[in-house]
């Protein structure tokens, strides 16, 4: 089997129904076998019922944790039953486009030496999706939606060339962007600190926030990757419960992701360029985190370390000016 699509989920039955329906539609159009895995993190809603209904239409490897293990552990659990040579991790609110699996299988077949594929995504408003009969039929997705990555050049490249804000502004944090060789994931999953990844407090450590990035940085540092510019997924905006944590993710965890890439071989000049770009929101984000400290991740931020690490980078100190310029631009209607 060439490909396993793995979906970790917790208490999002409505979105999961749409995700699985999108996989079913794409699977029917694909020339090749695709395994579908769902790891349920002890949901208390109708998740099991949703999966059971879908299992009458397509084969689903469904496993339910007896207790909630935390999101990161559930990512790992989602991959465990995968039998495919490659794995595609999807969020439970992500939608595959109808041609996504067929395109992915063709990419895998045409590029046997590639270990990691960046498959572009698009964004769609949750209200648009929920405005249709449920589960959502992905043939109703608009042909043109905002792209996650603006890069248009398709083809192979070194993995670390993908660590670039002009390719992926979140440095591959979105799990839906990655189709990766399962064997490399399994061999390198031990890089995670078990205590840190097992901490069930939401986003409390780097390992339980970005477990996939830590594995990718180790597994694919010397690998050939492939960039596919055509969006294969549609990611919902307005559906993320962790939106209040976004400043924390952007200005704390993504900086730590760059540090992890650097430790595994990201070139110094690229690291510094990426870090300077990533720090363009730092001080306003820290202020936002402090104001909303009960729900923003402030408790997990080491302020002294963050400021010392950011000190050499001009964008960190210019970030209030950038923030003011964005606000003025928005008020004037400038995108």
């Amino acid at each position: 089997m060439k490909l396993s699509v793995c979906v970790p989920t917790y208490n999002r039955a409505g979105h999961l129904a749409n995700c699985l329906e999108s996989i079913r539609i794409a699977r029917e159009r694909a020339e090749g076998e695709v395994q579908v895995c769902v790891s349920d993190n002890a949901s208390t809603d109708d998740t099991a019922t949703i999966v059971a209904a879908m299992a009458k239409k397509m084969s689903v490897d469904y496993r339910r944790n007896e207790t909630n293990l935390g999101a990161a552990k559930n990512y790992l659990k989602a991959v465990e039953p995968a039998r495919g040579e490659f794995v595609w991790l999807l969020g439970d609110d992500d939608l595959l486009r109808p041609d996504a699996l067929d395109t992915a299988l063709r990419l895998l077949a045409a590029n046997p030496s590639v270990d990691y594929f960046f498959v572009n995504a698009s964004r769609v408003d949750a209200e648009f999706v929920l405005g249709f009969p449920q589960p959502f039929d992905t043939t109703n997705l608009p042909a043109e939606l905002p792209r996650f990555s603006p890069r248009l050049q398709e083809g192979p490249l070194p993995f670390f060339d993908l660590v670039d804000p002009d390719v992926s502004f979140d440095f591959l944090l979105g799990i839906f962007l990655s189709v990766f060789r399962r064997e490399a994931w399994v061999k390198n999953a031990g890089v995670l600190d078990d205590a840190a990844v097992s901490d069930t407090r939401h986003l409390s450590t780097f390992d339980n926030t970005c477990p996939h990035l830590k594995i990718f940085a180790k597994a694919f540092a010397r690998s050939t990757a492939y960039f596919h510019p055509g969006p294969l997924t549609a990611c919902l905006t307005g559906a993320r419960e962790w939106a209040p944590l976004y400043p924390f993710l952007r200005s704390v965890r993504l900086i730590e992701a760059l540090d992890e890439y650097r430790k595994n071989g990201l070139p110094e000049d690229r690291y510094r360029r990426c870090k300077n770009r990533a720090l363009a929101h730092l001080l306003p984000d820290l202020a936002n985190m402090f104001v909303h400290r009960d729900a923003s991740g402030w408790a997990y931020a080491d302020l002294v370390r963050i400021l010392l690490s950011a000190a050499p980078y001009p964008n960190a100190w210019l970030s209030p000016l950038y923030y003011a310029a964005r606000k003025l631009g928005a008020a004037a209607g400038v995108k």
Side-chain angles (χ1 to χ4, degrees):
M1 184 178 295
K2 203 70 175 176
L3 180 62
S4 297
V5 178
C6 301
V7 185
T9 189
Y10 174 67
N11 275 359
R12 305 183 87 197
H15 290 306
L16 179 64
N18 287 335
C19 176
L20 292 177
E21 177 68 5
S22 77
I23 296 172
R24 185 193 67 78
I25 292 171
R27 197 178 182 198
E28 288 186 348
R29 299 188 179 199
E31 294 187 12
E33 188 178 2
V34 176
Q35 180 191 16
V36 181
C37 306
V38 175
S39 181
D40 178 358
N41 207 10
S43 295
T44 57
D45 64 359
D46 294 331
T47 291
T49 303
I50 291 295
V51 176
M54 182 53 66
K56 296 176 182 178
K57 302 176 183 178
M58 71 174 182
S59 176
V60 179
D61 188 320
Y62 173 66
R63 305 188 183 194
R64 185 180 188 276
N65 303 326
E66 292 185 4
T67 60
N68 190 312
L69 304 178
K73 279 279 191 176
N74 201 37
Y75 280 17
L76 302 179
K77 284 286 186 180
V79 177
E80 280 183 7
R83 303 191 308 274
E85 184 180 349
F86 285 83
V87 168
W88 193 349
L89 268 170
L90 290 181
D92 54 14
D93 62 347
D94 296 327
L95 303 172
L96 289 185
R97 284 190 170 273
D99 63 344
L101 293 177
D102 190 59
T103 301
L105 289 171
R106 291 176 188 276
L107 283 172
L108 298 179
N111 299 278
S113 64
V114 171
D115 294 325
Y116 176 97
F117 293 80
F118 181 109
V119 289
N120 209 356
S122 55
R123 301 184 186 90
V124 62
D125 193 276
E127 289 188 7
F128 175 85
V129 171
L130 297 175
F132 285 81
Q134 303 293 291
F136 179 71
D137 183 342
T138 47
T139 61
N140 290 316
L141 282 170
E144 295 296 327
L145 287 168
R147 293 187 176 206
F148 190 90
S149 174
R151 179 185 167 100
L152 297 177
Q153 183 179 355
E154 179 165 6
L157 71 174
F159 173 76
F160 278 139
D161 281 7
L162 295 171
V163 181
D164 186 326
D166 293 326
V167 174
S168 172
F169 68 84
D170 70 354
F171 306 120
L172 312 181
L173 179 64
I175 61 172
F176 47 84
L177 298 169
S178 302
V179 177
F180 53 89
R181 196 175 293 277
R182 180 179 57 85
E183 182 182 13
W185 171 280
V186 172
K187 283 183 176 179
N188 291 279
V191 72
L192 298 172
D193 179 87
D194 188 63
V197 82
S198 299
D199 189 332
T200 57
R201 296 172 298 166
H202 194 42
L203 311 186
S204 60
T205 70
F206 178 75
D207 288 50
N208 76 6
T209 305
C210 311
H212 54 306
L213 295 193
K214 194 166 184 178
I215 295 172
F216 290 166
K218 180 74 172 179
F220 304 121
R222 295 172 179 82
S223 290
T224 297
Y226 190 98
F227 182 89
H228 179 71
L232 299 187
T233 56
C235 307
L236 268 62
T237 59
R240 303 286 185 181
E241 292 87 350
W242 46 256
L245 287 157
Y246 188 71
F248 173 75
L249 285 171
R250 177 169 59 190
S251 288
V252 179
R253 291 290 182 245
L254 290 188
I255 302 303
E256 294 171 340
L258 288 172
D259 293 340
E260 192 66 31
Y261 288 133
R262 175 66 186 131
K263 184 171 71 175
N264 285 279
L266 182 71
E268 177 76 16
D269 58 343
R270 180 179 292 271
Y271 168 75
R272 291 189 173 278
R273 180 171 65 86
C274 290
K275 189 167 181 177
N276 190 51
R277 285 277 295 273
L279 288 167
H281 301 270
L282 178 65
L283 296 181
D285 277 353
L286 291 176
N288 182 294
M289 289 161 54
F290 178 75
V291 170
H292 303 285
R293 54 191 175 276
D294 290 340
S296 68
W298 177 259
Y300 309 133
D302 184 338
L303 187 62
V304 172
R305 184 187 61 79
I306 291 168
L307 293 175
L308 287 176
S309 174
Y313 296 90
N315 273 357
W317 311 110
L318 293 171
S319 58
L321 296 179
Y322 298 147
Y323 175 81
R326 288 192 297 272
K327 287 292 185 181
L328 290 172
V334 177
K335 295 184 179 181

